[in-house]
């Protein structure tokens, strides 16, 4: 069996004309490092797209690719991989991927480094090891995860980053005309009256499309209940992230009170995060983010959701396409996947960063059938990687 020879983490920076989620508002100007805070969700963003790519090579020359978040202080995550985790992966059998994952997780677990950047680093390694396993087996990863249930997944259009309601409606309509039937708008880019936003979108798009709202964690549970109730006459698909991530009790109160399904999960790292919300009856739709959780935990979260008859609609975010490909492979193997987020402002402009294998057309993702993740960074992308 070919063992791991080398593990390396790199950063990849992709310039942007317009920041992710649309133009920064007045008072949200970037500092000299290129960071700015959006008032709508109090969260820091960067003026560039930045991600971390992990390359793992075996002694027999098989190369696997992984990826995780690199938006803020990417050197922190890279140091965890290059200075520490790499030594505990090298000389291991890549087919022991979950054992490697659990052992490294345990190494800092009781110091409570069981999430955050530590887990991001581990997620990227985990994805790269699964890629190697698929390549050695000559199979797409979904086949190693229990089976390829589907080759296509409905893609919902996420984000309508335009400054006026009229323009947001036009943008949504342009996607509907391309064959997309599900949409999500985000409160930081919406009208103050969410019912006004919902009414305009529903009137323009018609009754047959699905419309969800990402509430960006920025309400108390009482505020969220009243905002969701205002949107419900216009048939809300799901309400995402209505309260602060720590407020499980508030989330549970919302989930038990409103008619609309409540969706959360993009900030989770492990099935323990999922289980706490599932046990509290606080979630109807789980939204794991592959770039944070990695393949091993993505499946554990997905299976926990399925065992409670919950839906799974994975998150998508800033990346080169590597962790998106991983997310689609895992999604292909899970039964309760209903849809997958489609970040058109990222995927479409970053398509040239990975080899052909993922398509988004007529409202559907098509999933690669090639071994492993099915996509690789292009030569151009590899030339941009910085250690
Ligand atoms: Mg979100």
């Amino acid at each position: 069996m070919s063992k791991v020879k080398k593990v390396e983490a790199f950063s990849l920076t992709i310039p942007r004309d317009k920041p992710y989620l649309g133009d920064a508002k007045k008072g949200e100007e970037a500092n000299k490092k290129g960071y700015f805070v959006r008032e709508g969700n109090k969260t820091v963003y960067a003026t560039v797209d930045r991600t971390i790519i992990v390359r793992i090579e075996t002694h027999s020359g098989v190369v696997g690719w992984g990826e995780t978040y690199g938006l803020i202080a990417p050197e922190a995550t890279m140091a965890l991989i290059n200075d520490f985790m790499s030594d505990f992966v090298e000389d291991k059998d890549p087919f022991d991927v979950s054992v490697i994952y659990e052992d490294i997780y345990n190494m800092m677990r009781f110091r409570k480094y069981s999430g955050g950047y530590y887990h991001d680093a581990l997620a990227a390694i985990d994805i790269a090891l699964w890629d190697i396993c698929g390549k050695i087996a000559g199979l797409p990863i979904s086949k190693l995860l229990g089976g390829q249930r589907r080759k296509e997944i409905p893609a919902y259009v996420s984000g309508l980053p335009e400054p006026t309601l009229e323009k947001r409606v036009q943008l949504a309509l342009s996607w509907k005309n391309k064959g997309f039937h599900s949409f999500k708008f985000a409160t930081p880019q919406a009208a103050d009256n969410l019912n006004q936003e919902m009414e305009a979108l529903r009137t323009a798009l018609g009754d047959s499309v699905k419309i969800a709202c990402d509430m960006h964690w920025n309400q108390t549970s009482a505020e969220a209940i009243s905002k969701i109730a205002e949107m419900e006459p216009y048939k809300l698909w799901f309400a995402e992230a209505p309260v602060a991530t720590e407020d499980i009790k508030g989330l549970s109160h919302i989930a038990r009170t409103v008619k609309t399904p409540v969706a959360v999960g993009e900030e989770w790292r492990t099935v323990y995060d999922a289980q706490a919300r599932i046990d509290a009856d606080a979630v109807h739709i789980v939204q794991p983010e592959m770039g944070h959780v990695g393949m091993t935990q993505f499946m554990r979260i997905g299976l926990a959701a399925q065992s409670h008859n919950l839906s799974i609609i994975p998150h998508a975010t800033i990346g080169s396409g590597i962790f998106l490909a991983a997310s689609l492979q895992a999604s292909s193997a899970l039964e309760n996947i209903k849809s997958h987020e489609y970040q058109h402002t990222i995927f479409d402009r970053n398509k040239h960063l990975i080899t052909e294998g993922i398509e988004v057309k007529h409202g559907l993702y098509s999933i690669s059938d090639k071994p492993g993740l099915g996509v690789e960074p292009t030569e151009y992308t590899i030339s941009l990687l910085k250690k």
Side-chain angles (χ1 to χ4, degrees):
M1 193 55 69
S2 181
K3 294 190 171 171
V4 170
K5 185 179 164 193
K6 201 166 188 193
V7 178
E8 293 170 289
F10 305 90
S11 70
L12 172 68
T13 300
I14 312 138
R16 258 187 179 273
D17 299 333
K18 199 184 209 187
Y20 170 63
L21 297 178
D23 286 321
K25 291 180 182 161
K26 208 164 176 273
E28 298 178 345
E29 289 77 18
N31 68 13
K32 58 180 187 295
K33 294 264 177 74
Y35 295 132
F36 66 99
V37 176
R38 287 198 187 274
E39 219 177 283
N41 59 9
K42 306 182 189 88
T43 301
V44 64
Y45 292 86
T47 48
V48 293
D49 282 359
R50 198 163 44 205
T51 181
I52 289 166
I53 304 280
V54 166
R55 181 186 188 275
I56 301 186
E57 186 175 352
T58 68
H59 284 282
S60 60
V62 179
V63 173
W65 296 96
E67 184 181 27
T68 186
Y69 279 49
L71 205 55
I72 309 299
E75 290 81 4
T77 311
M78 287 162 66
L80 283 166
I81 296 168
N82 292 329
D83 293 351
F84 158 58
M85 292 181 185
S86 56
D87 284 317
F88 292 92
V89 181
E90 286 162 15
D91 291 324
K92 297 276 170 33
D93 177 354
F95 279 91
D96 289 330
V97 49
S98 294
V99 175
I100 295 166
Y101 166 82
E102 284 163 3
D103 287 350
I104 298 178
Y105 181 81
N106 284 340
M107 287 174 202
M108 290 286 270
R109 180 181 198 165
F110 299 121
R111 297 184 186 125
K112 198 65 177 116
Y113 292 92
S114 47
Y117 286 40
Y118 189 80
H119 206 282
D120 286 354
L122 193 44
I125 289 174
D126 186 71
I127 294 167
L129 288 172
W130 277 102
D131 188 27
I132 290 173
C133 294
K135 283 171 174 162
I136 292 175
L139 294 168
I141 294 170
S142 58
K143 295 273 187 192
L144 307 182
L145 295 172
Q148 190 182 50
R149 182 172 282 283
R150 55 181 77 76
K151 290 184 179 179
E152 290 178 327
I153 297 178
Y156 77 82
V157 173
S158 182
L160 300 170
E162 289 291 353
T164 66
L165 181 52
E166 197 187 336
K167 283 188 171 173
R168 292 191 288 275
V169 167
Q170 286 309 317
L171 181 59
L173 271 176
S174 73
W175 282 104
K176 192 187 174 202
N177 291 337
K178 285 187 249 182
F180 288 77
H181 301 291
S182 38
F183 300 85
K184 185 175 79 186
F185 68 94
T187 49
Q189 288 84 47
D192 288 339
N193 293 326
L194 295 177
N195 54 341
Q196 198 189 333
E197 189 85 11
M198 217 29 220
E199 185 183 15
L201 288 169
R202 178 59 72 203
T203 306
L205 297 169
D207 277 341
S208 63
V209 307
K210 293 175 173 157
I211 306 174
C213 177
D214 186 345
M215 301 180 77
H216 277 252
W217 307 274
N218 204 14
Q219 292 76 207
T220 64
S221 60
E223 286 163 357
I225 287 167
S226 103
K227 285 185 182 184
I228 293 168
E230 279 177 27
M231 290 188 277
E232 279 179 337
Y234 308 100
K235 225 168 83 182
L236 185 59
W237 179 21
F238 59 80
E240 176 173 320
V243 284
T245 184
E246 298 87 350
D247 187 7
I248 297 178
K249 199 175 167 191
L251 191 66
S252 173
H253 179 51
I254 298 165
R256 288 162 192 254
T257 306
V258 299
K259 292 190 202 106
T260 303
V262 168
V264 281
E266 67 178 81
E267 71 276 29
W268 299 348
R269 298 299 193 279
T270 65
V271 71
Y272 304 114
D273 297 318
Q275 200 62 53
R277 276 94 186 157
I278 293 171
D279 289 347
D281 291 331
V283 55
H284 302 110
I285 298 170
V286 304
Q287 300 175 299
E289 167 48 64
M290 180 60 80
H292 280 324
V293 300
M295 197 68 85
T296 299
Q297 279 294 340
F298 191 103
M299 289 305 290
R300 291 179 189 183
I301 291 168
L303 294 172
Q306 286 181 184
S307 70
H308 291 83
N309 200 24
L310 303 176
S311 299
I312 308 158
I313 303 184
H315 181 248
T317 189
I318 295 167
S320 69
I322 295 291
F323 63 56
L324 174 63
S327 187
L328 293 172
Q329 285 295 326
S331 298
S332 172
L334 287 165
E335 189 176 0
N336 284 11
I337 296 281
K338 304 296 179 197
S339 179
H340 194 295
E341 187 164 12
Y342 166 43
Q343 293 275 9
H344 53 99
T345 69
I346 297 161
F347 181 83
D348 293 11
R349 59 190 287 278
N350 289 355
K351 251 199 283 195
H352 63 293
L353 297 175
I354 51 168
T355 54
E356 267 178 47
I358 305 171
E359 289 252 42
V360 193
K361 266 194 190 149
H362 310 301
L364 291 171
Y365 275 110
S366 59
I367 305 168
S368 173
D369 240 352
K370 291 180 215 158
L373 294 170
V375 298
E376 315 242 341
T378 58
E379 285 302 317
Y380 168 71
T381 305
I382 292 169
S383 77
L384 298 177
L385 298 181
K386 286 212 177 99
K387 202 157 179 184

